[in-house]
């Protein structure tokens, strides 16, 4: 096992747009949702055998894979702010990786009962998997799931954030993953976020908001660049 320090950069506010259906009247909810979702600018680091430190097994794995695959350790965060007049019933964050062979090799966290603080020190074990600070044992006894990782092993890794009647989605969650790309080829990842919102003045109805691809801020486009 080896440990690497990596943290996200400054928060980027994400303005969300109300999802509408063509041919149907637009809902009465506000078209823009601003100031309630932000993403910590992702940072990424290409992993080499030297990063394994004294872990010879991990160094050997990276060296053996280097002819076929590059691996990038990536850190980011997502902030949700629920307001009395606009509660977030749920939220999501998705990274879409370019290229059919680019995948999320390991994601963390995968399951949390509540938002939890993850350290900047990330533990890696063979085969270049993140060793989570939070185990998933006893999953059947969980009271509820607040954070859920989905689509590990695909090119669209995602996290869902669940609220409840008593506890809307609110807080900061640090996220990290290992991305695998074909060796020597650049790749990109595009971050989108969204939320389901309950506007107090509009009753109990939920309204869905998202980030159109054309509106994704430049800092939320990740570049995976080989040396």
């Amino acid at each position: 096992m080896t440990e690497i320090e990596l943290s996200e950069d400054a928060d980027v506010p994400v303005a969300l747009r109300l999802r509408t259906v063509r041919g149907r009247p637009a809902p009465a909810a506000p078209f823009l949702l601003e100031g309630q979702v932000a993403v910590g600018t992702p940072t990424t680091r290409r992993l080499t055998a030297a990063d394994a430190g004294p872990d010879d097994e991990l160094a050997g794995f990276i060296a053996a894979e280097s002819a076929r695959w590059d691996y990038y350790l990536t850190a980011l965060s997502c902030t949700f702010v629920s307001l009395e007049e606009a509660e977030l019933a749920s939220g999501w964050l998705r990274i879409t990786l370019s290229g059919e062979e680019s995948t999320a090799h390991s994601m963390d966290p995968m399951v949390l009962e509540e938002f939890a603080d993850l350290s900047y020190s990330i533990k890696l074990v063979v085969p270049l998997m993140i060793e989570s600070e939070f185990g998933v044992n006893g999953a059947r006894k969980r009271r509820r799931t607040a954070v859920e990782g989905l689509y590990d092993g695909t090119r669209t890794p995602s996290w869902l954030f669940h609220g409840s009647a008593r506890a809307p989605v609110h807080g900061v969650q640090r996220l990290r993953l290992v991305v695998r790309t074909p060796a020597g080829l650049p790749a990109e990842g595009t971050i989108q976020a969204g939320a389901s919102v309950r506007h107090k003045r509009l009753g109990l109805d939920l309204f869905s908001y998202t980030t159109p691809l054309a509106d994704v801020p430049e800092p939320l486009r990740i570049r995976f660049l080989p040396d």
Side-chain angles (χ1 to χ4, degrees):
M1 181 182 70
T2 191
E3 293 189 30
I4 295 177
E5 298 280 333
L6 192 66
S7 66
E8 71 279 6
D9 213 327
D11 281 352
V12 177
V14 179
L16 304 182
R17 292 192 180 188
L18 180 67
R19 295 187 66 175
T20 57
V21 178
R22 183 177 297 178
R24 295 184 183 180
F31 180 68
L32 281 179
L33 189 76
E34 298 181 287
Q36 292 189 248
V37 178
V39 175
T41 304
T43 57
T44 189
R45 172 174 172 173
R46 180 174 171 269
L47 298 170
T48 67
D51 291 313
D55 189 334
D56 292 337
E57 186 181 7
L58 186 60
F61 176 85
I62 297 173
E65 291 278 290
S66 61
R68 293 186 59 208
W69 305 108
D70 287 329
Y71 291 86
Y72 296 86
L73 183 61
T74 304
L76 66 157
S77 64
C78 200
T79 300
F80 295 97
V81 179
S82 275
L83 305 175
E84 183 178 355
E85 65 274 16
E87 289 189 346
L88 306 184
S90 64
W92 57 267
L93 181 145
R94 179 175 65 240
I95 303 174
T96 302
L97 301 170
S98 64
E100 292 299 321
E101 294 187 280
S102 298
T103 61
H105 182 68
S106 178
M107 298 170 61
D108 186 51
M110 289 301 292
V111 177
L112 292 176
E113 288 185 0
E114 58 186 3
F115 280 37
D117 187 28
L118 275 68
S119 70
Y120 293 125
S121 181
I122 304 173
K123 297 178 181 179
L124 296 171
V125 297
V126 176
L128 261 185
M129 308 295 286
I130 297 173
E131 186 174 87
S132 180
E133 298 174 28
F134 304 95
V136 296
N137 293 333
R140 295 181 181 178
K141 298 179 181 179
R142 288 197 308 271
R143 294 168 306 210
R144 71 184 189 97
T145 300
V147 181
E148 181 180 11
L150 295 175
Y151 310 122
D152 194 6
T154 76
R155 56 187 295 265
T156 56
S158 307
W159 282 273
L160 297 183
F161 305 89
H162 304 281
S164 66
R166 295 185 178 182
V169 177
H170 185 89
V172 181
Q173 182 60 58
R174 189 171 295 132
L175 311 166
R176 54 267 192 105
L177 71 161
V178 175
V179 172
R180 190 183 74 177
T181 66
L185 298 179
E188 293 187 2
T190 303
I191 299 174
Q192 292 173 275
S196 295
V197 184
R198 183 176 291 108
H199 295 283
K200 187 175 181 179
R201 66 180 179 83
L202 298 176
L204 298 178
D205 290 341
L206 289 177
F207 298 90
S208 180
Y209 289 79
T210 188
T211 318
L213 275 173
D215 293 345
V216 173
E218 184 60 27
L220 301 189
R221 299 182 186 274
I222 315 171
R223 266 74 177 188
F224 303 102
L225 302 174
D227 294 338

